[in-house]
């Protein structure tokens, strides 16, 4: 992975991410009492993480390696692993089980399909 | 622990992974930033993605403010920084039940420091453990699965489902855009769709009353 972010650039990324954690978590705790959260804004903030994560996960599963065509077939090991993990989540909230089953399905599909 | 494994198997050197875990201390933001770091995305795209993933904490901090209003600035900031999804939920549950002790800030600091230590120990275990595992085991996929496990339970309301679906479709269509900007188009489309769905849900009961 020669083009990944490394060295000082990575240090800047880490500091930037740490600042994003600090700013969001402390925002209203250190702001003056006059600042209020509007109802519309609160709705948008509430759904922002789930939308961002979906926008990351779905291409990560369906487009692999990065830059390939969209692979919706059931021969896609990542899709199989993610479906297995998702089905487990419908049945149980146990995260370790979800990861274990997902990795097992992904590995089997990767090796034998 | 999963964030630790995923960071190392995603290609981060052990010392950078440990520093990230200690300083950023936000599992979902780290997991979200990771594929972008590996793909060599521009710095601002990586940081902005982490920021959007962390936006839910703005709501948490607004909910905590009345509880800690009397404290000095530095103490409020420290309690805020060490808050997580888990410690926030614990605090709000105890507040609803009325079981918080008199010194709720000390109680919250205790819950948060406990959580911080456990989380860091397991993250560092994951980082060091993963560095001994061969790359061809495909362990970097645990990062994606961990995000699936994070998103799954929050798909419990219609706005979240519509938003996530819209975000996925737009992110797939916009994938060829440079600088991973397709991710932003997806996120923004999803947030819009979720907000509109929420607004439609709010309106519906009012309409049936009028009729």
């Amino acid at each position: 992975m020669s083009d990944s972010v490394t060295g000082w650039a990575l240090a800047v990324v880490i500091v930037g991410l740490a600042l994003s954690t600090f700013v969001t978590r402390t925002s209203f705790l250190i702001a003056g009492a006059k600042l209020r959260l509007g109802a519309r804004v609160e709705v948008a903030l509430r759904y922002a993480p789930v939308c961002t994560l979906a926008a990351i996960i779905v291409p990560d599963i369906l487009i692999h390696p990065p830059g390939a065509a969209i692979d919706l077939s059931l021969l896609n090991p990542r899709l199989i692993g993610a479906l297995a993990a998702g089905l487990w989540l419908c049945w149980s909230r146990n995260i370790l089980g979800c990861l274990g089953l997902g990795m097992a399905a992904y590995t089997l599909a990767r090796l034998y399909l | 622990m999963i964030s630790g494994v995923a960071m190392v198997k995603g290609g981060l050197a052990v010392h950078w992974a440990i520093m990230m875990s200690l300083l950023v201390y936000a599992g979902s933001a780290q997991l979200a930033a990771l594929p972008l770091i590996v793909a060599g995305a521009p710095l601002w795209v990586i940081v902005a993605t982490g920021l959007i993933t962390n936006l839910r904490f703005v709501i948490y901090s607004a909910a905590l403010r009345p509880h800690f209003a009397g404290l000095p600035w530095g103490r409020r900031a420290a309690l805020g920084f060490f808050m997580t999804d888990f410690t926030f939920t614990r605090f709000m549950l105890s507040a609803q039940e009325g079981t918080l002790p008199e010194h709720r800030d000390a109680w919250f600091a205790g819950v948060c420091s406990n959580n911080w230590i456990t989380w860091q120990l397991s993250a560092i275990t994951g980082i060091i453990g993963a560095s001994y595992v061969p790359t061809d085991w495909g362990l970097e996929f645990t990062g994606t699965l961990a995000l699936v496990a994070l998103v799954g339970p929050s798909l419990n309301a219609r706005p979240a489902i519509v938003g996530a679906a819209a975000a996925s479709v737009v992110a797939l269509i916009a994938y060829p855009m440079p600088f991973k900007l397709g991710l932003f188009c997806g996120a923004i489309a999803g947030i819009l769709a979720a907000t509109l769905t929420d607004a439609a849900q709010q309106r519906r009961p009012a309409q049936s009353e009028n009729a």
Side-chain angles (χ1 to χ4, degrees):
Chain A
M1 270 159 264
S2 55
D3 57 349
S4 68
V5 179
T6 49
W8 282 109
L10 185 54
V12 173
V13 163
I14 291 175
V15 171
L17 288 173
L19 276 177
S20 87
T21 307
F22 183 81
V23 167
T24 51
R25 284 187 187 164
T26 60
S27 52
F28 275 81
L29 284 166
I30 55 182
K34 270 172 268 171
L35 202 60
R36 287 260 175 274
L37 205 53
R40 273 292 169 83
V41 179
E42 182 172 343
V43 170
L45 291 179
R46 190 186 323 149
Y47 295 115
V50 82
C51 295
T52 314
L53 295 179
I56 292 171
I57 298 169
V58 172
D60 195 37
I61 290 169
L62 298 181
I63 302 176
H64 194 81
I70 296 175
D71 182 4
L72 269 171
S73 82
L74 279 176
L75 292 174
N76 175 352
R78 293 183 156 238
L79 184 55
I80 293 175
L83 286 177
L87 284 175
W88 171 278
L89 277 181
C90 294
W91 179 62
S92 152
R93 282 286 125 97
N94 182 305
I95 290 181
L96 273 185
C98 161
L99 295 174
L101 186 71
M103 275 312 284
Y106 166 69
T107 307
L108 285 176
R110 198 166 53 92
L111 296 178
Y112 297 108
L113 282 185
Chain B
M1 184 160 107
I2 301 305
S3 67
V5 173
M7 282 193 292
V8 170
K9 289 296 118 178
L12 245 59
V14 169
H15 61 283
W16 287 120
I18 292 179
M19 202 176 297
M20 193 172 194
S21 173
L22 290 174
L23 291 179
V24 181
Y25 186 46
S28 50
Q30 285 167 231
L31 287 171
L34 190 64
L36 305 180
I37 292 173
V38 174
L43 306 190
W44 69 269
V45 172
I46 306 174
V47 173
T49 303
L51 185 67
I52 309 181
T53 318
N54 277 334
L55 276 182
R56 64 189 186 284
F57 294 127
V58 174
I59 303 178
Y60 295 1
S61 76
L64 283 180
R65 184 170 66 184
H67 293 279
F68 299 131
L71 295 176
W73 186 92
R75 205 158 161 77
R76 276 179 286 156
L79 286 175
F81 180 75
F82 289 101
M83 138 177 77
T84 63
D85 293 295
F86 173 74
T87 62
F88 171 77
T89 315
R90 277 273 323 257
F91 183 88
M92 293 315 271
L93 281 177
S94 301
Q96 272 171 14
E97 291 166 356
T99 54
L100 282 178
E102 191 190 339
H103 293 287
R104 51 186 57 181
D105 56 319
W107 182 89
F108 190 58
V111 173
C112 287
S113 44
N114 220 321
N115 192 63
W116 190 87
I117 293 169
T118 317
W119 196 84
Q120 296 297 356
L121 283 181
S122 73
I124 292 171
T125 309
I127 290 168
I128 294 175
S131 66
Y132 291 101
V133 172
T135 307
D136 60 5
W137 283 16
L139 272 191
E140 77 285 349
F141 190 55
T142 49
T144 308
L145 288 179
L147 289 176
V148 171
L150 278 175
V151 166
S154 44
L155 293 175
N156 55 2
R158 192 180 299 169
I161 297 170
V162 173
S168 309
V169 172
V170 173
L172 281 175
I173 295 170
Y175 185 83
M177 286 177 73
F179 308 134
K180 293 269 175 183
L181 285 175
L183 162 66
F184 277 108
C185 296
I188 289 163
I191 295 167
L192 271 178
T195 315
L196 291 175
T197 313
D198 186 89
Q201 273 186 331
Q202 304 290 331
R203 236 187 341 263
R204 208 163 302 135
Q207 276 171 349
S208 58
E209 269 172 40
N210 293 341

